[in-house]
Amino acid sequence: MIINIHNYLLGDSSTSNDHHKLTLRKHIAEILGVAEGTVGSVVSDWYNRSDDTFTPHKVLGRPKFQPDENVSELLRTKILDANKKAEQLSTVILRQYLLEQGYNFSKWKLLRVLHRLGYYFGQGERRNILHESPNNVAYRCRYLRFRFANLEGKNDVPRRPEVFLDESYCHLHHTSRNTWVPHQGVVLAPGHGPLVVIFGAIIVFRNGSSNKLHGELVPNSVHIWDPTIKPPGNRGRKRNNADEWDNIPDVVKDANIMPNQVDYHGNFNAEIFEDLFSTLCKALYEKYGPVNIHMDGASYHKRRVENIPTSNTKKQEIIDWLNAHNIVFSDELRRPELLELVQMNKEKVTFACVKIAKQYEHEVSFTPPYHCELQPIEGIWSVVKGEVAHSGPHPNLLSVRNTLLNAFKKKITSQVIIGFWRRALKNAKEYLEFDDNAQLMDEDFDEYDNSDEDCVI
């Protein structure tokens, strides 16, 4: 640029007298706003080389560090393997590992390498170690095929309405994780305390003949109760809050379950769930017709309609079960081999909830274990429980329950439900795209694993 201006002014015959009062170098410096010395250095260097090039500039500061390819591959393999095995990694461990491979790195040099390769030291996205097990990924593929078979068009409109049901809980002392603390201050957690149990379902469907989606809470599907509360007796004084809790389903009142304040799953059993589920299926059919129902793999969701032989079952009873289900086997098989046949064919015995749903022409599909990001209702729990956290502290569980009910009415709109539904669908599409190259774990799990979790997507 300087040379071009220099040549232009040098050959400009139309310059005024004022122009000739300035030296050429000073004039160029004024035009560009640079020092005269800079102009002189550039022009001098250009004349000296006499090949229309310049002397290469020296790179100021620390030169860019390019990690050795072998080191990059060693770190990548070590970090991925540790993540898969749920092993914690520190800089000290990585330095020792590289030293064993013949590479001696200082702490700061290693940190520069790690940052250059795109790694960071943090919590990351926490997942169960079985999330990417071969059986789980295979099960996820089957679930996603069922999920996408119900969608049509560019807008992913469901042919049949999609229902997502789940159970959750909320502690009396439920609070937000964020609070004001002094520098390096300690915040004590309140620990486990009294809780309410929540049951609910959301539905997403095509609104009329258009492709516009609509989402809502399934009418009368939300139930919230204190697992320790008992039905009012006929003797003695009437309990003060008896009227406020009188809409608890009878099956809950009569369950006689020992309340569990630590694991909310302990406040459910198959009898309670199937009673609530049967009522839900009937209401769904009457208002929406046949639907697809998605739920997780909690043990009380998966009670089979008949008992499956176990290791404690007598051999003759195992044989009778195999004959009853028309399973061919050799008379020479021993008891362990017969049990293996049972495990291979137990899917022939359906779950009670699937049988209930079929009575109303509904289809049931279980989300893969440890995949709460595929359940949009998990986001609904985060919204309503967030209202409890923001409005606390609460004097009792009745206050928590009323806050939750009010949040369901005012906060859970069609827009909110559709938003969580689309987010879960986006996660499903990402799994569908990358499952061919999924990083599989070595551990396996039962396809109908009873695991369940309560988290936020």
Side-chain angles (χ1 to χ4, degrees):
M1 181 175 64
I2 291 176
I3 296 302
N4 289 339
I5 295 175
H6 174 271
N7 291 338
Y8 169 77
L9 294 177
L10 187 64
D12 188 1
S13 59
S14 63
T15 53
S16 64
N17 292 332
D18 292 338
H19 167 72
H20 289 291
K21 294 179 182 179
L22 299 175
T23 64
L24 182 59
R25 185 171 67 178
K26 189 171 184 178
H27 197 65
I28 295 172
E30 285 190 358
I31 294 174
L32 296 177
V34 298
E36 291 183 52
T38 302
V39 177
S41 299
V42 172
V43 174
S44 176
D45 180 60
W46 183 68
Y47 275 125
N48 292 336
R49 293 181 68 86
S50 65
D51 58 358
D52 291 337
T53 62
F54 299 94
T55 303
H57 290 285
K58 294 182 179 180
V59 178
L60 301 178
R62 178 184 293 171
K64 289 186 178 180
F65 178 76
Q66 296 298 332
D68 183 275
E69 291 185 3
N70 292 334
V71 173
S72 302
E73 183 61 25
L74 286 172
L75 288 173
R76 188 188 73 86
T77 303
K78 179 66 174 177
I79 292 173
L80 289 180
D81 287 346
N83 293 161
K84 292 176 186 178
K85 298 175 182 177
E87 296 176 353
Q88 295 297 109
L89 276 182
S90 66
T91 310
V92 175
I93 295 175
L94 287 176
R95 285 185 63 196
Q96 181 62 34
Y97 171 72
L98 290 177
L99 187 61
E100 294 172 356
Q101 307 300 320
Y103 297 93
N104 189 5
F105 278 64
S106 69
K107 173 185 175 182
W108 302 111
K109 184 177 180 180
L110 178 57
L111 288 176
R112 282 166 49 207
V113 171
L114 291 170
H115 291 157
R116 176 71 62 182
L117 295 176
Y119 299 109
Y120 72 96
F121 190 73
Q123 291 187 359
E125 183 180 346
R126 312 300 285 185
R127 288 179 176 174
N128 188 282
I129 195 171
L130 297 180
H131 186 278
E132 297 297 316
S133 65
N135 283 358
N136 207 4
V137 172
Y139 183 75
R140 182 171 70 205
C141 292
R142 291 191 291 274
Y143 170 77
L144 292 180
R145 277 198 297 273
F146 172 82
R147 180 86 168 78
F148 286 104
N150 188 48
L151 302 179
E152 61 182 6
K154 295 182 179 179
N155 295 330
D156 295 319
V157 179
R159 295 185 179 88
R160 286 162 56 113
E162 293 189 336
V163 175
F164 299 86
L165 71 87
D166 193 20
E167 303 84 23
S168 188
Y169 69 100
C170 187
H171 281 287
L172 174 63
H173 306 299
H174 180 70
T175 57
S176 172
R177 293 185 177 182
N178 297 328
T179 185
W180 289 103
V181 294
H183 182 61
Q184 296 182 342
V186 175
V187 179
L188 299 179
H192 296 293
L195 57 81
V196 291
V197 179
I198 313 170
F199 176 93
I202 59 174
I203 185 168
V204 175
F205 57 93
R206 185 199 308 262
N207 192 6
S209 58
S210 68
N211 282 337
K212 187 176 180 180
L213 292 178
H214 181 75
E216 63 186 25
L217 288 166
V218 177
N220 302 316
S221 69
V222 176
H223 300 285
I224 305 173
W225 68 87
D226 173 5
T228 65
I229 202 162
K230 300 185 183 303
N234 297 324
R235 300 174 59 185
R237 222 168 43 173
K238 184 178 180 181
R239 192 173 60 238
N240 291 333
N241 62 352
D243 293 337
E244 287 84 351
W245 292 101
D246 62 358
N247 60 346
I248 297 176
D250 291 337
V251 67
V252 174
K253 295 178 182 178
D254 301 334
N256 294 322
I257 295 179
M258 182 65 66
N260 190 330
Q261 302 289 359
V262 178
D263 182 5
Y264 74 97
H265 296 103
N267 299 302
F268 279 93
N269 59 20
E271 179 186 4
I272 293 177
F273 171 74
E274 289 166 17
D275 184 89
L276 297 175
F277 184 71
S278 180
T279 303
L280 176 68
C281 286
K282 181 179 179 181
L284 286 170
Y285 184 78
E286 292 175 351
K287 182 170 183 178
Y288 308 99
V291 302
N292 288 355
I293 302 175
H294 303 258
M295 68 179 84
D296 58 40
S299 58
Y300 44 82
H301 289 174
K302 291 184 171 181
R303 183 185 69 84
R304 295 190 186 272
V305 294
E306 65 180 61
N307 293 328
I308 306 295
T310 66
S311 58
N312 295 325
T313 306
K314 295 180 180 179
K315 182 177 180 179
Q316 185 56 48
E317 293 177 358
I318 299 175
I319 292 174
D320 293 341
W321 188 89
L322 293 172
N323 289 329
H325 292 84
N326 300 319
I327 299 171
V328 180
F329 58 94
S330 170
D331 293 337
E332 298 178 355
L333 295 184
R334 301 290 183 176
R335 190 166 172 275
E337 296 173 300
L338 295 174
L339 280 173
E340 185 179 26
L341 272 179
V342 171
Q343 292 299 313
M344 294 170 57
N345 292 275
K346 66 179 182 180
E347 66 273 9
K348 293 185 177 182
V349 180
T350 187
F351 297 115
C353 65
V354 174
K355 186 176 181 180
I356 293 172
K358 284 185 177 180
Q359 296 175 3
Y360 299 95
E361 303 177 35
H362 304 319
E363 286 192 62
V364 173
S365 183
F366 298 100
T367 52
Y370 318 112
H371 283 73
C372 64
E373 64 273 17
L374 297 179
Q375 264 283 15
I377 197 171
E378 294 286 356
I380 304 302
W381 299 149
S382 69
V383 172
V384 296
K385 291 199 283 189
E387 289 299 301
V388 174
H390 298 151
S391 60
H394 296 274
N396 50 49
L397 288 178
L398 184 59
S399 173
V400 172
R401 173 181 176 272
N402 291 337
T403 301
L404 289 170
L405 289 173
N406 189 56
F408 275 113
K409 292 178 182 178
K410 295 185 176 181
K411 297 292 182 178
I412 308 305
T413 63
S414 175
Q415 185 178 4
V416 169
I417 293 175
I418 296 300
F420 285 120
W421 182 83
R422 290 197 183 281
R423 185 187 299 181
L425 183 62
K426 179 183 176 182
N427 294 330
K429 288 181 177 180
E430 290 176 355
Y431 283 128
L432 190 67
E433 182 179 355
F434 296 112
D435 269 348
D436 276 344
N437 299 315
Q439 297 291 330
L440 302 180
M441 309 295 107
D442 293 331
E443 294 81 358
D444 288 346
F445 81 110
D446 181 358
E447 178 177 313
Y448 295 107
D449 183 77
N450 290 330
S451 62
D452 182 26
E453 54 190 7
D454 191 73
C455 56
V456 179
I457 61 174

